[in-house]
Amino acid sequence: MTADHQPKTLTNFINSAFVAPSTGTYIDSPNPATGRTHVLVPDSAAADVNAAVAAAKAAFEPWSRTTRAHRSAVLLRIADLLEKRLDEFAVAESQDQGKPVSLAKSIDIPRAVHNFRFFATSILHSKEMTTDLDGVTFNYVHRRPVGVAALISPWNLPLYLLTWKIAPCIAYGCTSVCKPSEFTSVTAWMLCSILNEAGVPPGVVNMVFGNGPSAGSPLVEHEDVPLISFTGGTATGEIIYRAAAKMNKKLSLELGGKNANIVFADADFEQAIQTSVRSSFSNQGEICLCGSRIFVQEEIYEKFVAELARRADALVVGNPADESTNLGALVSQQHMEKVLYYIDVAKKSGANIVAGGVRALDGDLANGFFVRPTIITGVHPTEARVQKEEIFGPVVTITPFKTEDEVVQYANSTRYGLSASVWTQNGQRATRVARQLRVGTVWVNCWMVRDLNMPFGGHRLSGLGREGGNHSMEFFCDETTICTKL
């Protein structure tokens, strides 16, 4: 593994200018694969947030009056420019987050490009409801952009999820102040130069880097920020919810998950196994949609456990730059310690570790934050901590079940409700089970297939509100019903 270069110093991006933080201080951000600092992230404060909000507020009125065709053209230019630099962004994302470069090249950056293209085209085909009330009045809906949006994105899919927020914000005529995670700020900072090159006017998109208390809180609490889109942990989401409630701000919260992956005995076994490897360990398990609780019907339980364990043991944990690597490093030492803690909790409770359960410490990996893909069996289906609490790493449990009713009860037993997967060749059973799962998305015989027209979000502690297609339009726009007497 090559040595890190001199750490790069990032800047905030306010009113289309790259500016140092008012504090003059920076946060050390390590490369997860080496453990060594590779980036200095601005440790921004309220003064930086205030400057960014002022720029976004000044830009809002002229930007909100631009035509959909103009905004579409800007978004398409952003997509084209990002696509031209795909390899560069993929390498940067890997070095900052720990994921394999191959994953960033095939998923993260292409999906970021797609986010811009999707909203660039969808805004050209929007429709509104009209009614004629028995010849007495004609009624229609008028939408207007809300204003300055706070867009707060997580560290697991940094550019992918940031652009999922920026693209519709631009598309529907709002302006924004973005606060990416302090753990993974590099590709957000790189995107700023593309925004300038694509002709995004000053103030329409601003980036303030830093941690939650110093930069995030002043942004959430700012009186000139009427709407907040946040993706991240449930505990932080609760803090944002309480702060926003004081001013009745519009909220979209996509929070944690403890997702069930349900495999019936009649499932296509090979497809279920192949996809379960991905849904368990992709991006080191650091995806909110990963199926961390696998429930397998008892007729095929032993066979499934043995085969998933065999394939997990065969996965390559290593240098994220190597094409052969399947799993890279976890995002930080703190997060790695959290994942290892939960594995230890399972061990002490008498659970079986049938794969992994340890750090990957060979050679160049010794100083990085690597953990082997881990499979746990022999835990209580609903009461074990590893069944109830979000681990957010390469750790899954496998639990047997007998009946349809039993597995639905198991799946619904957590406080979360983000997603689930159901594997069966019985179409009626698939529909029956899917409709009983209290989650935002159910995949039947697949995983992570996303149609951006569909609503995305969670139930219960997994979130509030929906985004995607018309649901993003409803979030970034206010509605007025206009009633005209005939």
Side-chain angles (χ1 to χ4, degrees):
M1 194 172 295
T2 58
D4 292 332
H5 298 293
Q6 186 71 18
K8 179 184 297 183
T9 300
L10 306 188
T11 54
N12 290 326
F13 180 72
I14 299 173
N15 212 32
S16 289
F18 292 92
V19 294
S22 62
T23 60
T25 58
Y26 295 84
I27 302 167
D28 289 353
S29 179
N31 178 333
T34 66
R36 293 190 294 271
T37 298
H38 82 122
V39 169
L40 301 177
V41 177
D43 188 10
S44 301
D48 305 289
V49 170
N50 292 341
V53 172
K57 184 179 180 181
F60 172 68
E61 285 300 330
W63 181 249
S64 67
R65 291 195 297 267
T66 58
T67 65
R68 289 180 295 174
H70 175 73
R71 298 195 297 270
S72 174
V74 170
L75 287 165
L76 290 173
R77 286 198 295 272
I78 296 171
D80 291 345
L81 291 167
L82 178 57
E83 191 169 50
K84 288 179 181 178
R85 295 172 61 184
L86 190 151
D87 288 353
E88 175 191 355
F89 270 78
V91 170
E93 197 77 295
S94 171
Q95 292 174 347
D96 206 29
Q97 199 275 337
K99 69 182 72 217
V101 173
S102 59
L103 182 67
K105 280 184 179 181
S106 61
I107 301 293
D108 291 63
I109 312 306
R111 288 204 180 187
V113 172
H114 180 59
N115 287 339
F116 287 114
R117 288 192 176 135
F118 174 83
F119 285 104
T121 53
S122 68
I123 58 171
L124 300 177
H125 308 288
S126 60
K127 300 177 182 178
E128 296 297 350
M129 183 177 70
T130 64
T131 64
D132 184 332
L133 187 60
D134 296 328
V136 177
T137 60
F138 175 73
N139 305 275
Y140 67 97
V141 175
H142 170 67
R143 296 183 191 270
R144 66 169 65 85
V146 176
V148 178
L151 307 181
I152 305 174
S153 56
W155 49 254
N156 61 322
L157 304 170
L159 192 68
Y160 174 12
L161 293 181
L162 177 62
T163 58
W164 172 242
K165 301 176 187 299
I166 289 177
C169 184
I170 292 174
Y172 295 113
C174 290
T175 58
S176 65
V177 177
C178 307
K179 210 295 283 180
S181 170
E182 66 272 26
F183 292 105
T184 52
S185 298
V186 172
T187 52
W189 178 75
M190 293 169 61
L191 180 66
C192 297
S193 63
I194 286 179
L195 299 176
N196 278 349
E197 189 177 354
V200 177
V204 170
V205 178
N206 305 271
M207 298 271 182
V208 176
F209 300 100
N211 63 39
S214 299
S217 291
L219 177 58
V220 167
E221 296 168 1
H222 203 291
E223 62 181 8
D224 290 329
V225 177
L227 72 166
I228 303 165
S229 175
F230 170 79
T231 299
T234 297
T236 305
E238 182 179 347
I239 294 170
I240 292 173
Y241 183 89
R242 293 180 184 275
K246 298 175 185 177
M247 288 177 272
N248 200 31
K249 297 190 179 195
K250 230 175 173 180
L251 271 182
S252 174
L253 302 176
E254 196 267 282
L255 307 176
K258 194 68 181 174
N259 311 304
N261 179 11
I262 300 169
V263 184
F264 285 94
D266 71 334
D268 182 319
F269 187 84
E270 180 57 29
Q271 284 297 313
I273 281 284
Q274 282 185 17
T275 307
S276 293
V277 171
R278 291 196 303 111
S279 66
S280 299
F281 305 122
S282 288
N283 204 52
Q284 303 76 243
E286 296 169 324
I287 301 176
C288 59
L289 300 166
C290 278
S292 57
R293 294 180 300 146
I294 306 175
F295 298 104
V296 181
Q297 202 157 27
E298 58 183 12
E299 293 92 321
I300 61 168
Y301 174 76
E302 296 294 341
K303 177 183 176 183
F304 188 97
V305 171
E307 184 59 19
L308 192 67
R310 185 185 71 80
R311 299 194 190 194
D313 285 339
L315 293 173
V316 177
V317 180
N319 185 345
D322 289 347
E323 284 293 325
S324 62
T325 295
N326 302 118
L327 278 75
L330 295 175
V331 72
S332 68
Q333 180 170 345
Q334 179 185 13
H335 187 59
M336 178 187 67
E337 290 171 354
K338 173 191 170 183
V339 171
L340 293 171
Y341 165 78
Y342 274 104
I343 295 172
D344 191 54
V345 165
K347 289 178 180 177
K348 289 178 178 177
S349 72
N352 305 312
I353 310 298
V354 298
V358 295
R359 289 185 64 181
L361 296 171
D362 297 335
D364 289 343
L365 308 186
N367 295 318
F369 313 134
F370 297 88
V371 174
R372 289 289 316 170
T374 300
I375 299 173
I376 301 171
T377 64
V379 299
H380 191 282
T382 61
E383 295 302 319
R385 289 186 63 187
V386 291
Q387 292 287 78
K388 298 193 296 183
E389 299 174 22
E390 186 177 35
I391 301 172
F392 212 63
V395 180
V396 296
T397 62
I398 312 181
T399 305
F401 71 90
K402 293 181 180 179
T403 68
E404 193 175 301
D405 289 343
E406 183 180 55
V407 78
V408 168
Q409 185 264 321
Y410 290 170
N412 286 335
S413 65
T414 75
R415 301 179 300 164
Y416 297 100
L418 189 56
S419 71
S421 298
V422 177
W423 292 89
T424 177
Q425 297 188 70
N426 184 320
Q428 291 182 330
R429 173 191 287 143
T431 300
R432 243 184 353 257
V433 172
R435 290 182 176 184
Q436 294 179 76
L437 298 175
R438 299 200 299 271
V439 297
T441 298
V442 178
W443 283 289
V444 176
N445 298 328
C446 61
W447 177 71
M448 274 291 274
V449 180
R450 290 288 309 280
D451 179 348
L452 301 190
N453 288 292
M454 301 302 289
F456 181 77
H459 297 179
R460 296 174 287 167
L461 290 188
S462 287
L464 176 72
R466 295 292 183 270
E467 294 182 12
N470 288 338
H471 303 275
S472 291
M473 176 178 68
E474 291 167 0
F475 177 70
F476 286 105
C477 296
D478 282 332
E479 296 175 329
T480 299
T481 298
I482 298 177
C483 176
T484 302
K485 189 177 186 302
L486 297 175

